[in-house]
């Protein structure tokens, strides 16, 4: 990991190590990938104001959200099927996250069971749940989370409709995969990945069971079709509120209206996310939606945002626009593919170091002192200094 200096370095290494169909599964987005690109473009369009001659020798990035102390305001977003990156999968990512003082969100579509992950990262594992057609399946999931001492549930809010990802369709990446010949050849040219795949953890869904055993790859599609639920509503959040005493975070919130509804239905946290551009293409970048959502939440809930975070400065921008913490997916999946647990640990190290450096230039020693002013270079407001919600409020 000595030659890894950025998330982009991890990405290059992961690209070399993974067959193209796996790399594209991680990296790709829906349709024309407009939203995927926009997440990055919107972050790039915001610049931060430098300050000088401030004593920043004692700076640190610690913070606390939903009762969990973090060494940096960064959480691992839930990701399904990480087993394709490396057989150590979620266990490696969760361990690296815990060691870095972060939190790992376990996905319902994970290859590892929640039990295995919570065991690997006690106190640092949150559980994502989905409202399945078979409500008993969801209830069992919630009960297991409670039994394992998990304190925070993250509700998958944006999965009622399945997206179309052209890269996956071209590679035949389904469950089970049906790759064209060129991908079979390309995969054969990655023997280390093939050996890990053959010898490592088998490709299952770790969380749900058929006949008492984990769901196998060839059974996933049928299980998914049976359980996909397009009828979930805010009433399900209200019902969840009644049965779950811990924290509830709703993921996939991209509008002020939904942020308000989440709070009104008892959510403790709002997770601003467009699924990293993997679900609904042609929508806003998360960083564009964030200020309105922060205003709507009005400090009644914790706000987390993901989508395109690749530098410490991106985390600082998210905080600057009013988020309590940022989150990221692909940087950790790519770290896992590039170098198992040490690869994920390196992703955390890089982002933590970059964030501390940015804080030095911003002239702050604590996360809560990151200024609420960004320099927005995009569009007609070229060069204008825009005030983020908190700053605007303070000024009025
Ligand atoms: C391989 C992969 C699998 C994902 N699986 C899930 C999932 O199971 N549940 C979910 O809510 N989001 C899922 N996401 C979206 C992430 O939680 C997150 O919103 C997104 O990756 C953030 O963008 P970033 O990758 O640019 O950081 C997945 C993303 C990737 C890359």
């Amino acid at each position: 990991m000595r030659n890894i200096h950025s998330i982009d370095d991890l990405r290059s290494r992961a690209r070399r190590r993974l067959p193209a169909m796996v790399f594209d599964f991680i990296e790709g987005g829906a349709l024309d990938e407009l939203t995927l690109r926009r997440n990055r473009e919107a972050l790039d369009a915001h610049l931060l104001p430098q300050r000088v001659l401030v004593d920043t020798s004692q700076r640190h990035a610690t913070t606390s959200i939903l009762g969990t102390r973090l060494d940096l305001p960064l959480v691992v977003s839930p990701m399904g099927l990480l087993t394709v990156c490396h057989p150590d999968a979620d266990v490696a990512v969760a361990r690296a996250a815990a060691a870095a003082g972060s939190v790992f969100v376990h996905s319902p579509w994970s290859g590892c069971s929640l039990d295995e992950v919570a065991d690997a990262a006690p106190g640092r594992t949150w559980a994502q749940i989905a409202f399945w057609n078979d409500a008993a399946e969801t209830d069992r999931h919630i009960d297991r989370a409670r039994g394992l001492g998990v304190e925070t549930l993250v509700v998958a809010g944006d999965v009622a409709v399945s997206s179309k990802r052209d890269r996956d369709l071209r590679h035949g990446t389904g469950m089970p995969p049906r790759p064209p010949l060129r991908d079979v050849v390309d995969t054969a040219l990655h023997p280390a990945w093939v050996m890990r795949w053959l010898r490592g953890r088998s490709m299952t869904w770790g969380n749900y069971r058929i006949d008492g055993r984990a769901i196998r790859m060839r059974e996933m599609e049928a299980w998914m079709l049976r359980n996909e639920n397009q009828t979930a509503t805010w009433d399900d959040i209200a019902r969840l509120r009644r049965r779950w005493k811990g924290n509830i975070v709703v993921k996939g919130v991209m509008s002020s209206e939904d942020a308000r509804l989440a709070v009104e239905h008892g959510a403790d946290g709002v997770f601003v996310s467009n699924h990293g551009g993997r679900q609904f293409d042609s929508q806003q970048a998360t960083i564009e939606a964030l200020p309105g959502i922060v205003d709507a939440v009005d400090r009644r809930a914790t706000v987390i945002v993901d989508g395109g975070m690749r530098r410490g400065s991106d985390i600082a921008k998210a905080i600057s626009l009013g988020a309590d913490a940022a989150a990221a997916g692909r940087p950790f999946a790519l770290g896992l593919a590039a170098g198992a647990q040490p690869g994920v640990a390196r992703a955390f190290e890089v982002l933590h170091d970059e964030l501390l450096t940015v804080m030095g230039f911003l002239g702050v020693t604590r996360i809560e002192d990151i200024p609420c002013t960004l320099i927005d270079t995009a569009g007609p407001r070229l060069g204008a200094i825009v005030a983020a919600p908190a700053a605007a409020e303070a000024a009025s």
Side-chain angles (χ1 to χ4, degrees):
M1 289 294 131
R2 251 179 296 130
N3 296 328
I4 299 290
H5 305 294
S6 65
I7 299 302
D8 205 45
D9 287 345
L10 278 175
R11 181 178 179 276
S12 303
R13 188 171 292 186
R15 182 170 217 159
R16 284 196 300 277
R17 295 200 168 172
L18 293 174
M21 62 188 290
V22 178
F23 181 77
D24 279 344
F25 166 70
I26 305 295
E27 278 283 282
L31 302 181
D32 297 313
E33 302 188 339
L34 298 174
T35 300
L36 172 68
R37 284 194 296 279
R38 196 164 176 103
N39 278 345
R40 273 292 340 144
E41 288 161 3
L43 279 163
D44 288 344
H46 282 301
L47 304 174
L48 294 156
Q50 172 168 289
R51 297 297 304 276
V52 294
L53 296 173
V54 182
D55 176 357
T56 58
S57 56
Q58 302 301 314
R59 65 196 183 278
H60 62 86
T62 57
T63 188
S64 185
I65 55 165
L66 297 167
T68 304
R69 191 185 139 87
L70 303 176
D71 285 357
L72 76 170
L74 182 68
V75 167
V76 181
S77 299
M79 284 177 286
L81 295 175
L82 285 174
T83 323
V84 297
C85 296
H86 190 281
D88 294 349
D90 305 48
V91 171
V93 183
R95 284 208 175 108
S102 175
V103 157
F104 176 79
V105 186
H106 173 266
S107 158
W109 295 272
S110 165
C112 306
S113 68
L114 178 59
D115 310 52
E116 195 181 1
V117 174
D119 204 37
R124 299 247 156 219
T125 301
W126 293 357
Q128 184 174 48
I129 60 156
F131 292 127
W132 301 117
N133 254 339
D134 178 359
E137 197 71 84
T138 304
D139 288 349
R140 273 196 293 278
H141 196 164
I142 295 168
D143 291 343
R144 225 166 55 252
R146 184 184 295 112
L148 290 164
V150 169
E151 286 165 5
T152 300
L153 292 185
V154 177
V155 176
D158 58 356
V159 295
V161 179
S162 293
S163 64
K164 180 178 160 221
R165 292 202 292 269
D166 291 0
R167 295 202 214 192
D168 289 352
L169 292 173
R170 286 191 202 106
H171 288 300
T173 315
M175 290 298 146
R178 294 178 187 87
L181 181 63
R182 65 168 186 281
D183 279 304
V184 175
V185 173
D186 175 68
T187 302
L189 293 173
H190 293 82
W193 183 88
V194 174
M195 288 315 288
R196 279 201 300 273
W197 173 271
L198 292 177
R199 290 196 189 138
R201 181 190 299 273
S202 59
M203 197 56 215
T204 58
W205 267 340
N207 232 20
Y208 307 106
R209 307 200 102 57
I210 292 178
D211 300 334
R213 52 158 180 79
I215 297 177
R216 293 175 185 145
M217 194 152 64
R218 64 171 182 280
E219 298 165 333
M220 289 176 182
E221 204 168 72
W223 191 95
M224 205 51 217
L225 282 174
R226 267 201 316 281
N227 271 295
E228 221 170 42
N229 176 9
Q230 301 190 352
T231 65
T233 67
W234 290 102
D235 291 343
D236 291 286
I237 298 288
R239 266 191 296 278
L240 177 64
R241 182 66 289 169
R242 288 195 288 277
R243 38 174 301 135
W244 177 260
K245 299 281 172 271
N247 301 310
I248 297 174
V249 177
V250 180
K251 181 167 185 275
V253 172
M254 283 296 290
S255 67
S256 308
E257 291 82 353
D258 283 347
R260 245 177 248 118
L261 283 167
V263 174
E264 283 164 20
H265 286 80
D268 307 281
V270 167
F271 201 134
V272 182
S273 176
N274 53 29
H275 222 101
R278 292 168 78 81
Q279 283 287 81
F280 174 32
D281 202 24
S282 292
Q283 66 168 317
Q284 269 188 318
T286 48
I287 213 76
E288 292 171 302
L290 179 62
I293 291 174
V294 169
D295 269 347
V297 167
D298 197 19
R299 296 177 210 277
R300 291 173 295 162
T302 296
V303 178
I304 302 169
V305 60
D306 74 9
M309 307 285 159
R310 301 292 181 270
R311 291 282 188 191
S313 49
D314 298 330
I315 303 172
K317 290 173 189 182
I319 301 292
S320 195
L321 285 168
D324 296 292
R330 294 182 184 87
F332 302 114
L334 296 169
L336 177 67
Q341 188 176 328
V344 184
R346 188 70 188 130
F348 271 112
E349 247 167 45
V350 163
L351 291 169
H352 196 166
D353 285 355
E354 288 178 358
L355 177 59
L356 288 174
T357 304
V358 171
M359 288 171 68
F361 286 118
L362 291 173
V364 300
T365 55
R366 304 178 312 164
I367 290 298
E368 55 268 40
D369 295 336
I370 289 180
C372 298
T373 39
L374 288 174
I375 302 167
D376 179 357
T377 60
R381 293 178 300 168
L382 187 75
I385 293 188
V386 292
E393 191 183 290
S396 66

